[in-house]
Amino acid sequence: MSTLTAAWDWLTDPAHWPGDDGIRHRLLQHLLLTVVCLILSCLIALPVALVLGHLGKGGALAVNISNVGRAVPTFAVLVLLLLTPVGRWGDGPTVVALVLFAVPPLLTNAYVGMREVDRNVVQAARGMGMTGRQLLFHVELPLSLPLLLNGVRIAAVQLVATATIAALAGGGGLGRIITAGFNLASTPQVVAGALLVAVFALLVEGVFEIAERVAPAWVRGSR
Amino acid sequence: MRCGAHTNPGRHGACPWCGPSGRAPRPGHHNAPPSSPVRSNGPVSAPPDDCLARNEWICGAYLSTRRQILLDAVVQHLQLTFLSVLIGLVIALPLAVLARRWGWAAGPVLAVTTILYTIPSLAMFSLLLPLYGLSATLVVAGLVLYSLTLLVRNILAGLRAVPEETRQAARGLGYGPVRLLLTVELPLALPAAMAGLRIATVSAVSLLTVGAIVGFGGLGNLIYSGMNTYFKAQVLTASVLCVLIAVAADLLLLGVQRLITPWTRAARS
């Protein structure tokens, strides 16, 4: 318990909030990294998944890519990127690694969502004379939205976790408070940083949970 | 705080827990930069022109000169992964069975495991620091919590998928609750449980590398020290070995699953 009070004292100490290494800056960095990389990975993964799903091709790729993503250690990828020329761009390795690990869940979920759209509905739409584009945007996309958004949620949580590990490889974000704590042998700081990260991750999960509850019924789907 | 646990003195200077006299990288040590052939006594010889000196990504000399270090890291990686998944399984099985038996318990159990799974690995290890200190126990405890989530979810899904007719048929044959669970429900839940076990094992292999922050990361230790010394061959070799372990474990468990659930194959063909 004494460690928890010490961690709380560390968190509430006003000296630890301002500045480049301060909690406020790290929090903003973490938020910025998560949001920017989520948008980037959505821009990369979703068009590919929607087109592949619409055409019904590349299914093995879309499903296996998430298994591959699980087997490759985040930390190893971060360090490998740091040692390549990408490592000289400052936040380059972090951003690339974050996007790499957010793409698989997005791709897989969006693809599976597209393929799970009732084939009868698709055929009915075709029978009504819808073109491929109309079919994609007015039938398949709305119907696959629940699974697609679930993928976004998984990706967001994954991004928060990866951004934390990025601190081990010199990246910014809340993880830096933890690694700095380890370097200073300050257990209260390590625990305080971990609490911040945990609360941040749970908040992200919570935001998606609430968004799902208040969303209109057709977005939520039947599940 | 244990001192020998540390393998990350590299760029950031001496390890704070070991003091300034901590283990500084010495020539030949695996933390030493690969290009340090100059000795203080004797004539200065020209640096050897091999892949270690050139710091290349792929290096056969690295494999032959650092065989023992690699072997130790792989053994630690396998031990810690196996231990955490095993403990996770031992805890998850009763939890899933209880959650199946008492419907009201399922909600809280799933909620707690989901919250645990949302916490990033680095934060999880850090939160356990006051409890376990810098020890292998800390890494194992963190990984147990992660595998718990995946295992409970999958075993519970498997148990729930057992058809009600099957259960009633067994009861009609005079099966008691224990015999029903052991000889009917659990075998039928095996495919889903094994799928969970495979995911949990592969995740544990990959997450263990983060344990390098406390010095018990198996191959992660080599990646960490390789990062601090810009030792490309070490980082690449350790990363590739890590992926190989994950793939091998996955295939092994797939083989075990085929062996213990022969009926799933018969039904498909």
Side-chain angles (χ1 to χ4, degrees):
Chain A
M1 278 304 113
S2 60
T3 324
L4 270 186
T5 30
W8 182 251
D9 289 343
W10 194 92
L11 270 181
T12 46
D13 185 344
H16 293 138
W17 283 79
D20 268 2
D21 287 332
I23 298 172
R24 195 169 351 132
H25 182 232
R26 294 297 181 208
L27 209 59
L28 276 176
Q29 257 183 335
H30 211 96
L31 189 66
L32 194 70
L33 269 177
T34 312
V35 172
V36 168
C37 291
L38 187 62
I39 294 171
L40 264 179
S41 8
C42 282
L43 287 178
I44 296 172
L46 295 184
V48 175
L50 292 182
V51 169
L52 285 180
H54 177 67
L55 299 173
K57 284 182 184 145
L61 174 87
V63 174
N64 281 326
I65 199 167
S66 68
N67 292 335
V68 174
R70 201 177 286 122
V72 177
T74 322
F75 179 45
V77 171
L78 278 161
V79 175
L80 284 172
L81 284 170
L82 187 71
L83 298 187
T84 57
V86 182
R88 278 182 233 127
W89 302 344
D91 271 339
T94 313
V95 172
V96 174
L98 282 165
V99 170
L100 275 179
F101 280 95
V103 161
L106 284 170
L107 201 61
T108 309
N109 275 277
Y111 181 84
V112 171
M114 288 289 286
R115 296 315 294 166
E116 276 190 2
V117 171
D118 193 342
R119 288 297 106 189
N120 294 332
V121 174
V122 174
Q123 284 186 346
R126 279 235 172 78
M128 286 164 64
M130 278 193 171
T131 62
R133 185 183 296 245
Q134 287 172 325
L135 184 66
L136 174 59
F137 286 109
H138 296 295
V139 179
E140 289 177 317
L141 183 58
L143 286 176
S144 63
L145 212 52
L147 258 182
L148 191 151
L149 291 179
N150 193 38
V152 175
R153 174 185 181 159
I154 298 173
V157 172
Q158 170 93 54
L159 279 172
V160 174
T162 314
T164 316
I165 298 177
L168 275 179
L174 287 172
R176 274 299 262 279
I177 297 173
I178 298 178
T179 49
F182 270 104
N183 285 338
L184 296 168
S186 157
T187 307
Q189 185 176 341
V190 170
V191 175
L195 283 174
L196 280 171
V197 172
V199 169
F200 190 90
L202 290 173
L203 275 180
V204 169
E205 175 97 3
V207 164
F208 277 93
E209 181 79 38
I210 291 167
E212 214 166 273
R213 295 251 164 109
V214 298
W218 60 273
V219 177
R220 271 180 278 147
S222 52
R223 42 194 89 219
Chain B
M1 306 275 185
R2 263 178 53 189
C3 208
H6 264 268
T7 54
N8 52 351
R11 199 168 45 184
H12 307 299
C15 148
W17 278 289
C18 310
S21 61
R23 306 197 306 177
R26 39 180 202 279
H29 187 266
H30 65 99
N31 284 323
S35 53
S36 56
V38 181
R39 301 216 169 90
S40 54
N41 49 354
V44 176
S45 54
D49 189 34
D50 61 354
C51 56
L52 279 177
R54 287 195 301 269
N55 198 12
E56 283 174 5
W57 284 105
I58 300 167
C59 182
Y62 174 76
L63 286 179
S64 52
T65 53
R66 266 80 166 180
R67 185 178 299 151
Q68 195 53 46
I69 294 163
L70 281 171
L71 206 64
D72 290 347
V74 169
V75 168
Q76 189 187 52
H77 210 106
L78 291 176
Q79 278 176 339
L80 294 183
T81 310
F82 180 75
L83 201 62
S84 18
V85 175
L86 189 72
I87 298 175
L89 191 61
V90 168
I91 302 175
L93 198 60
L95 273 182
V97 169
L98 287 182
R100 175 81 188 99
R101 188 100 326 164
W102 297 310
W104 57 265
V109 165
L110 284 180
V112 168
T113 50
T114 305
I115 288 175
L116 285 176
Y117 199 67
T118 308
I119 298 175
S121 50
L122 189 60
M124 182 74 92
F125 291 146
S126 306
L127 283 175
L128 293 170
L129 183 67
L131 288 177
Y132 298 107
L134 292 175
S135 64
T137 323
L138 177 142
V139 180
V140 171
L143 291 180
V144 164
L145 291 177
Y146 281 119
S147 44
L148 202 61
T149 310
L150 295 164
L151 290 170
V152 168
R153 267 191 218 161
N154 275 274
I155 299 175
L156 191 59
L159 287 174
R160 279 179 173 165
V162 175
E164 188 55 36
E165 301 89 66
T166 313
R167 213 173 280 130
Q168 284 176 356
R171 263 193 223 110
L173 285 167
Y175 278 46
V178 175
R179 200 158 150 233
L180 177 71
L181 178 73
L182 291 180
T183 60
V184 178
E185 289 181 310
L186 281 180
L188 285 176
L190 261 181
M194 284 301 288
L197 190 63
R198 281 170 63 197
I199 298 176
T201 309
V202 171
S203 306
V205 169
S206 127
L207 280 176
L208 183 65
T209 53
V210 180
I213 185 94
V214 293
F216 289 93
L219 290 160
N221 290 343
L222 296 185
I223 299 175
Y224 198 61
S225 60
M227 174 185 80
N228 287 335
T229 52
Y230 286 89
F231 194 169
K232 290 178 179 173
Q234 175 155 305
V235 172
L236 186 65
T237 313
S239 309
V240 169
L241 278 175
C242 210
V243 174
L244 284 181
I245 290 177
V247 172
D250 196 41
L251 289 178
L252 185 76
L253 286 172
L254 183 66
V256 171
Q257 181 183 350
R258 291 253 169 104
L259 271 182
I260 60 176
T261 59
W263 63 87
T264 52
R265 254 181 311 158
R268 221 180 293 149
S269 58

